[in-house]
Amino acid sequence: MQQHIFNTMRSLKMIDGCKCTQVYALNPTPSGGGGGVGEKFLQHLQDHLRVNSIKSKSHRRYQSLSQINNVNTIVLAEALAIYGLPQTDLIEPQIDPYLKFVDFVGTLADVYRRLENCSQFERSGMYMEQCTIFKGLPDPKLFRRCLRSARQHAVDVHSKVVLSAWLRFERREDELFGVSAMDCSGWNLECPKSSLVSGYNPESAYDNCSCLEDEGQLERELEGQECSTSISYADGDDDGYDISFCIGDVEVKCNRYMIASLSRPFKSMLYGSFMESRKERIYFTQSGISVKAMRAAEVFSRTKSLDSFDPNVVLELLSLANKYCCDEMKSACDAYLASLVDDMDIALLLIEYGLEEAAYLLIAACLLVFLRELPNSMHNPNVMKFFCSSEARERLALVGHGSFLLYSFLSQIAMEEDMKSNTTIMLLEGMGECARENWQKQLAFHQLGCVMLERKEYKDAQKWFEMAYQFGHIYSLVGVARAINKRGHKYKAYKLINSLISDHTPAGWMYQERSLYSSGKEKMWDLNMATEVDPTLSYPYKYRAVSMVEEGKLGAAISEINKIIGFKVSPDCLELRAWFLICLEDYEGALTDVRALLTLDPSYMMFHGKLHGDQLVELLSHHVQQCSQADCWMQLYDRWSSVDDIGSLAVVHHMLANGPGKSLLWFRQSLLLLRLNCHKAAMRSLRMARNHAASEHERLVYEGWVLYDTGYREEAIAKAEESISIQRSFEAFFLKAYVLSETTTDHESSFYVIELLEEALRCPSDGLRKGQALSNLASIYVDVDKLDKAVDCYMNALNIKHTRAHQGLARVYHLKNQRKAAYDEMTKLIEKARYNASAYEKRSEYCDREMAKSDLSMATRLDPLRTYPYRYRAAVFMDDHKEGEAIAVLTKAISFKPDLQLLHLRAAFHDSMGDYSSTLQDCEAALCLDPKHADSIELYRKAQKRANEQPT
């Protein structure tokens, strides 16, 4: 019966496909009130899932698998028949919503030069420009490093407030249980109190935050004291009071000189030509100030302090200070009120006063709360009203808080939350209004174009993309062409991209874009060229795979999509492969892909946003053998040992579905995601591990890993040490050893790392983690020339199925001049590992040149992002005096992966050829990526000297 259903299904014409990053477009729904067949099927599918979910919990063990399979096979068949396999005509790559450059290396070099030559007060803005450039790169650490530098060099309070909140958001502490938005993380860069202190002090970035010390000091100062709104006069004496302000029936005695010293208007009134200068009693009822506030003003005139007044009185003083230009009193009121803002309710209450009275610091304190509550505050209409309307933006700008920086931060979060929302548009418009420099306008207008394109407002999208292009962002022509095509002018779009290719050095994304407006052999030629120039683009693989499905070549389609999944895992490609596998009735493989997909994006919707991935998991689960938790652990060991990271992810996802509170599993998931370069998902899993920690010492370890992965190494070590002080554990020792091994290189430190790893191995843990620890320990032994001990560790790791230990063992054999043994060891790894590009790369080091070329060619084919093969091939060309070919190899790789080592090597090649201008540019680009790279710094200085010595 099952085979008959699928034969029938395959005979249907699959007429719908996918668009953007989600894979499957729906059949058009007929007009009318009843809804289309797709909607009815979706309702049936959801009803079926609800019923089945309830039944399966109580009766699953009593139902036969064949009965469940029959029902669910019909549902799966209907799903594919109604929603259809993807169609090539409807697949479309997403336009990147960040700045993209036709000469990326030149852009990096230019930013580095300007950064080195700008004044100290301009450095924060320059680092933000650098942040924008790095936003499009896959490594988030570059963006975070620049963000920290921008905060470190910030001068004004507004910038400090925004950047400190942005740094906190990057760690997504809002997802951590028990962490308040105003909690201090322990360092000045993110401290809310430090953010409200104006001034340029970059060295303070390295200081520990003094919040706790300040609180203790404040408590000591307030001990035994009472706050009061009453005013006490010194010794009950009226001496010195020579003037009274009458408010109603009450006289407030003051000192004429002291009140006059508050401001020039008061001085003119009391000592100038006004009639009040000759009076001892001044009627002040019409001023609108209360008796309490006037008494407070008198006290402030003598003491310059507001400590004894309640907030309502200070608010009145602020109004009085504004009315009579009392700058010192206004600053004191502003600072006092700002110190009171520590939660959302107070911030919402006081920001209106701040805007009305132009209280810069008070507004900054309120903004700080709003921004540190993101993304939750993004959904609070009472908060967003202060940012979204043009009137709100004008009010913020008038008090010095309407900046490009602010709206850039808000827009980024809004686009992540809901790209099509009106809020996103209004924030991007604010970003555009605040833009002053060209790069700022490019970014704002390009992102507005992307949003309008998503909303299918093609005329507006074209307008914004054209504006971004006019300010110099050439990549925005892709958006112009896309909007023109959507408006029915396909040939015009083709000509536009064709001229783009003619006018600039062709990039992969240019060929990819032109393929959208051509057909037949020309289209396939463009797609193949796109892959040739930039093999990291996923759209060409997807298009070729779908076209193969349309020709009935499912096996070839899966092989094609496997090429990109092998080195760049993304939800849309996993979804595509899952549907291909369902068509082949490989439900276990499809379920693996869907589970892995949900690990990357837990909220991912299938059927073009109509069905949650968890529901598809429920359907597919009925077609595979059910596994206990013990079975899952065995599967995890097998997949881990075969270096099947996607399969391992799927198993962990299954285990978490059965026991979501297992912090160890969340942590394991984060390790797998990091290996797959899925940093955002990995950090989310780490936060979940921290939230589900069963003990304090375990929680500290996961917090340490979060800190390490976001660039705070010393803080990570401190967390590990705190955890060890509570309870000695494998993970705490391992964390400390891992971070120390990354930060230190001397022998003494290496021996300390060895001690830590040995301590870790004495603590209880599972074999998977112990295998990693043994491998790390062996690596350190190699570094200190204890090769026999290293061999023992690697062999012990292999005995518990830590397959990657083959690579370390091969390194030891190579150091012992046993190249054949090293080669054989890497061959074993290649045979065992499912994803083995790194194994081919490493084996190339243990064989002759021709065999090495073959292995490196295979490594590049499996993973074009690995840089060693390009460097090796370039070095071979240089050895053969083929400088042009060597430069060409590196240039091709740099065009899609601007790697530090590739740039440095090309700079060295240029230097050896006497091309010092190119050497300088590559060095500058490399130093933009890593300003502390010693080899590039040395080469840069030498090239500068040689360039200066050359005749003009």
Side-chain angles (χ1 to χ4, degrees):
M1 176 180 178
Q2 178 173 311
Q3 185 63 36
H4 170 71
I5 289 169
F6 272 88
N7 287 338
T8 304
M9 180 198 72
R10 290 187 186 119
S11 70
L12 297 173
K13 183 179 180 182
M14 305 302 183
I15 61 172
D16 283 304
C18 64
K19 184 178 180 182
C20 297
T21 55
Q22 293 275 14
V23 177
Y24 302 96
L26 305 177
N27 280 325
T29 303
S31 59
V37 119
E39 298 296 331
K40 291 176 181 177
F41 168 71
L42 181 63
Q43 187 61 49
H44 162 71
L45 185 60
Q46 291 170 337
D47 291 343
H48 165 78
L49 283 169
R50 278 195 295 271
V51 172
N52 241 15
S53 177
I54 295 169
K55 287 181 178 178
S56 62
K57 290 178 182 176
S58 55
H59 302 293
R60 184 176 295 160
R61 67 181 63 181
Y62 304 109
Q63 286 182 309
S64 69
L65 186 62
S66 61
Q67 288 176 318
I68 298 173
N69 279 350
N70 287 339
V71 175
N72 285 281
T73 299
I74 295 171
V75 174
L76 284 172
E78 288 179 349
L80 287 173
I82 293 173
Y83 290 97
L85 290 169
Q87 188 180 7
T88 51
D89 290 346
L90 298 177
I91 301 176
E92 190 173 275
Q94 186 179 24
I95 295 177
D96 295 326
Y98 44 76
L99 297 186
K100 201 172 181 124
F101 306 93
V102 293
D103 180 13
F104 190 65
V105 172
T107 301
L108 290 178
D110 175 64
V111 168
Y112 178 79
R113 283 193 300 272
R114 288 189 286 121
L115 187 57
E116 288 297 295
N117 296 319
C118 70
S119 71
Q120 60 184 16
F121 301 115
E122 296 174 320
R123 294 184 73 82
S124 182
M126 283 299 306
Y127 279 119
M128 281 313 301
E129 182 177 352
Q130 201 175 36
C131 278
T132 306
I133 294 169
F134 288 157
K135 189 65 178 175
L137 297 182
D139 185 0
K141 290 181 181 178
L142 291 171
F143 175 82
R144 291 173 188 149
R145 188 199 74 211
C146 289
L147 200 61
R148 284 197 297 274
S149 296
R151 168 61 185 89
Q152 179 182 349
H153 292 276
V155 179
D156 60 287
V157 167
H158 173 77
S159 296
K160 291 182 178 182
V161 163
V162 177
L163 290 167
S164 65
W166 203 334
L167 281 169
R168 185 181 186 276
F169 175 80
E170 283 297 308
R171 289 208 323 282
R172 294 307 302 264
E173 285 203 354
D174 61 287
E175 294 182 7
L176 299 181
F177 296 162
V179 176
S180 166
M182 301 304 286
D183 282 351
C184 181
S185 302
W187 49 87
N188 274 339
L189 288 185
E190 295 183 33
C191 175
K193 290 184 179 178
S194 297
S195 302
L196 296 174
V197 179
S198 180
Y200 182 73
N201 188 14
E203 297 305 318
S204 67
Y206 305 103
D207 299 337
N208 290 325
C209 181
S210 57
C211 275
L212 296 177
E213 297 176 12
D214 293 343
E215 288 174 6
Q217 182 180 353
L218 182 62
E219 288 175 3
R220 288 190 295 272
E221 290 175 355
L222 295 178
E223 191 174 352
Q225 297 182 13
E226 290 186 10
C227 289
S228 173
T229 58
S230 63
I231 310 302
S232 61
Y233 296 90
D235 302 322
D237 196 345
D238 287 352
D239 288 348
Y241 296 120
D242 54 358
I243 190 172
S244 296
F245 284 84
C246 301
I247 301 172
D249 297 330
V250 179
E251 291 187 15
V252 178
K253 296 181 179 181
C254 301
N255 180 285
R256 182 184 294 270
Y257 175 79
M258 291 296 183
I259 295 296
S261 68
L262 289 176
S263 70
R264 295 189 65 160
F266 270 125
K267 184 177 180 180
S268 298
M269 180 176 73
L270 299 176
Y271 285 104
S273 57
F274 294 95
M275 59 186 298
E276 285 84 359
S277 65
R278 296 183 296 277
K279 290 185 175 182
E280 293 182 359
R281 300 176 73 227
I282 298 173
Y283 290 93
F284 221 51
T285 304
Q286 300 302 317
S287 68
I289 190 170
S290 70
V291 173
K292 285 184 178 180
M294 192 64 223
R295 284 177 175 165
E298 187 280 321
V299 172
F300 181 83
S301 72
R302 290 185 290 108
T303 66
K304 307 303 180 187
S305 173
L306 298 170
D307 290 343
S308 58
F309 310 121
D310 68 29
N312 289 329
V313 171
V314 178
L315 283 170
E316 279 197 78
L317 277 184
L318 178 62
S319 179
L320 177 70
N322 257 338
K323 193 171 185 178
Y324 289 93
C325 304
C326 306
D327 294 339
E328 186 180 13
M329 187 161 72
K330 178 178 179 179
S331 295
C333 293
D334 195 6
Y336 176 90
L337 293 169
S339 69
L340 302 178
V341 181
D342 59 2
D343 64 34
M344 184 66 74
D345 292 337
I346 295 175
L348 286 170
L349 176 66
L350 291 181
I351 192 171
E352 286 286 2
Y353 288 101
L355 289 168
E356 186 69 28
E357 302 296 342
Y360 178 81
L361 207 59
L362 174 57
I363 298 169
C366 296
L367 287 180
L368 184 67
V369 172
F370 296 161
L371 298 180
R372 290 176 76 90
E373 289 280 0
L374 289 168
N376 296 329
S377 56
M378 186 71 71
H379 307 292
N380 186 334
N382 293 325
V383 172
M384 296 315 294
K385 72 179 182 180
F386 293 108
F387 302 113
C388 288
S389 68
S390 57
E391 180 186 354
R393 294 195 291 268
E394 288 175 9
R395 293 180 75 192
L396 284 173
L398 284 173
V399 291
H401 285 288
S403 69
F404 176 84
L405 180 64
L406 171 66
Y407 280 98
S408 178
F409 178 33
L410 292 170
S411 297
Q412 175 191 309
I413 299 172
M415 290 176 73
E416 291 177 8
E417 293 287 300
D418 184 359
M419 194 166 183
K420 300 179 183 179
S421 71
N422 291 334
T423 297
T424 302
I425 290 176
M426 287 187 283
L427 292 173
L428 283 170
E429 287 174 345
M431 185 176 162
E433 289 175 8
C434 295
R436 297 294 176 265
E437 299 181 41
N438 273 3
W439 70 268
Q440 295 174 342
K441 294 174 182 178
Q442 290 173 19
L443 180 63
F445 299 151
H446 180 75
Q447 290 187 335
L448 272 166
C450 291
V451 170
M452 291 301 182
L453 198 67
E454 284 291 310
R455 288 164 61 103
K456 299 182 179 179
E457 297 177 24
Y458 301 125
K459 186 175 180 180
D460 286 337
Q462 182 179 340
K463 177 191 74 175
W464 290 118
F465 281 129
E466 286 174 344
M467 288 181 67
Y469 173 69
Q470 288 167 11
F471 282 102
H473 191 230
I474 294 171
Y475 177 68
S476 290
L477 282 179
V478 168
V480 176
R482 201 77 68 92
I484 288 172
N485 181 53
K486 296 293 185 183
R487 297 177 70 191
H489 305 288
K490 187 173 184 178
Y491 182 63
K492 190 175 179 181
Y494 176 88
K495 287 203 307 181
L496 184 62
I497 300 302
N498 198 49
S499 64
L500 177 64
I501 294 174
S502 302
D503 295 341
H504 301 90
T505 301
W509 54 266
M510 296 179 188
Y511 289 115
Q512 172 180 277
E513 191 65 22
R514 190 171 68 177
S515 73
L516 299 179
Y517 316 119
S518 55
S519 58
K521 292 182 179 180
E522 187 179 354
K523 187 184 192 77
M524 293 307 295
W525 187 89
D526 274 341
L527 288 170
N528 292 336
M529 277 301 296
T531 300
E532 173 67 22
V533 175
D534 184 355
T536 67
L537 296 170
S538 60
Y539 169 74
Y541 299 95
K542 291 165 64 176
Y543 184 93
R544 287 189 292 263
V546 172
S547 65
M548 290 170 184
V549 170
E550 290 178 342
E551 296 170 4
K553 301 174 182 176
L554 272 169
I558 291 173
S559 296
E560 182 65 26
I561 205 67
N562 281 345
K563 292 177 184 177
I564 185 75
I565 292 175
F567 66 91
K568 186 181 177 183
V569 180
S570 61
D572 55 321
C573 290
L574 285 172
E575 182 186 14
L576 198 61
R577 188 169 72 176
W579 284 116
F580 295 164
L581 291 169
I582 289 173
C583 290
L584 287 175
E585 299 175 29
D586 181 359
Y587 302 126
E588 186 170 350
L591 181 58
T592 295
D593 281 346
V594 177
R595 286 193 183 280
L597 180 160
L598 291 171
T599 303
L600 297 173
D601 184 357
S603 60
Y604 196 86
M605 301 292 289
M606 317 291 283
F607 289 134
H608 197 58
K610 293 294 184 179
L611 182 71
H612 197 283
D614 283 333
Q615 293 178 300
L616 184 58
V617 167
E618 177 74 15
L619 276 175
L620 290 168
S621 296
H622 295 296
H623 294 273
V624 300
Q625 185 176 355
Q626 301 300 305
C627 297
S628 66
Q629 203 78 341
D631 293 332
C632 287
W633 273 111
M634 293 300 295
Q635 285 185 25
L636 183 58
Y637 270 89
D638 290 339
R639 291 180 183 269
W640 194 283
S641 64
S642 64
V643 197
D644 178 7
D645 292 333
I646 291 177
S648 298
L649 272 181
V651 175
V652 172
H653 182 272
H654 187 190
M655 296 169 78
L656 282 170
N658 296 332
K662 300 291 186 181
S663 60
L664 177 63
L665 290 174
W666 286 110
F667 180 56
R668 181 91 60 207
Q669 189 179 81
S670 74
L671 298 176
L672 288 163
L673 289 164
L674 281 175
R675 286 218 301 246
L676 291 168
N677 291 318
C678 301
H679 298 279
K680 185 177 179 180
M683 292 305 296
R684 183 180 61 246
S685 296
L686 257 182
R687 291 190 292 273
M688 292 297 289
R690 182 266 186 202
N691 287 343
H692 288 96
S695 62
E696 176 72 6
H697 75 272
E698 188 181 6
R699 179 181 63 79
L700 287 167
V701 169
Y702 299 139
E703 287 180 356
W705 280 114
V706 170
L707 289 167
Y708 169 75
D709 286 329
T710 50
Y712 297 98
R713 294 182 174 181
E714 290 80 7
E715 291 80 3
I717 292 173
K719 291 286 184 183
E721 290 172 344
E722 188 179 352
S723 178
I724 292 168
S725 69
I726 297 172
Q727 181 173 322
R728 297 161 61 85
S729 69
F730 173 90
E731 290 298 348
F733 281 114
F734 186 87
L735 169 61
K736 186 175 180 181
Y738 191 90
V739 179
L740 282 173
S741 67
E742 290 280 306
T743 55
T744 57
T745 55
D746 58 283
H747 269 220
E748 186 177 345
S749 299
S750 295
F751 283 114
Y752 182 49
V753 171
I754 288 172
E755 290 178 18
L756 291 171
L757 287 171
E758 288 174 342
E759 288 292 337
L761 288 165
R762 293 189 187 101
C763 300
S765 183
D766 63 80
L768 296 175
R769 291 299 281 159
K770 289 210 169 185
Q772 182 66 60
L774 284 165
S775 189
N776 286 16
L777 178 58
S779 173
I780 305 296
Y781 277 135
V782 172
D783 291 340
V784 296
D785 298 323
K786 293 185 178 294
L787 300 184
D788 291 336
K789 285 192 174 183
V791 169
D792 291 340
C793 287
Y794 283 130
M795 294 303 295
N796 288 335
L798 287 172
N799 288 337
I800 52 177
K801 291 190 173 183
H802 187 72
T803 308
R804 286 180 173 83
H806 283 297
Q807 183 167 318
L809 199 54
R811 180 188 173 200
V812 176
Y813 289 146
H814 176 63
L815 292 172
K816 289 185 172 184
N817 294 319
Q818 299 173 8
R819 284 171 60 85
K820 177 65 167 61
Y823 181 88
D824 292 342
E825 204 65 37
M826 291 309 303
T827 302
K828 293 176 185 177
L829 179 57
I830 289 170
E831 291 169 351
K832 291 181 180 179
R834 181 161 183 175
Y835 297 105
N836 48 25
S838 63
Y840 278 108
E841 178 185 296
K842 201 67 181 174
R843 190 175 72 170
S844 71
E845 298 179 21
Y846 312 131
C847 53
D848 60 42
R849 177 180 284 195
E850 289 306 313
M851 294 178 69
K853 286 182 180 179
S854 176
D855 274 353
L856 291 174
S857 177
M858 176 61 77
T860 298
R861 187 157 64 250
L862 294 174
D863 184 357
L865 288 172
R866 304 193 72 84
T867 61
Y868 174 75
Y870 304 107
R871 288 186 281 137
Y872 178 89
R873 285 190 283 267
V876 169
F877 278 127
M878 286 298 287
D879 286 344
D880 294 339
H881 304 289
K882 298 178 179 178
E883 292 86 354
E885 288 89 336
I887 296 293
V889 167
L890 295 175
T891 300
K892 179 182 176 181
I894 289 169
S895 68
F896 62 84
K897 185 176 175 61
D899 174 77
L900 173 67
Q901 297 295 336
L902 291 174
L903 285 165
H904 176 73
L905 184 59
R906 190 172 72 171
F909 287 175
H910 282 308
D911 184 66
S912 69
M913 297 162 61
D915 185 355
Y916 301 125
S917 61
S918 296
T919 303
L920 291 172
Q921 185 181 67
D922 281 347
C923 283
E924 287 162 349
L927 291 171
C928 189
L929 295 173
D930 182 2
K932 297 180 181 179
H933 190 244
D935 291 339
S936 292
I937 292 172
E938 182 181 358
L939 180 58
Y940 187 50
R941 288 172 179 166
K942 289 179 180 178
Q944 282 180 317
K945 184 178 179 181
R946 293 185 187 123
N948 292 333
E949 291 172 352
Q950 279 186 328
T952 304

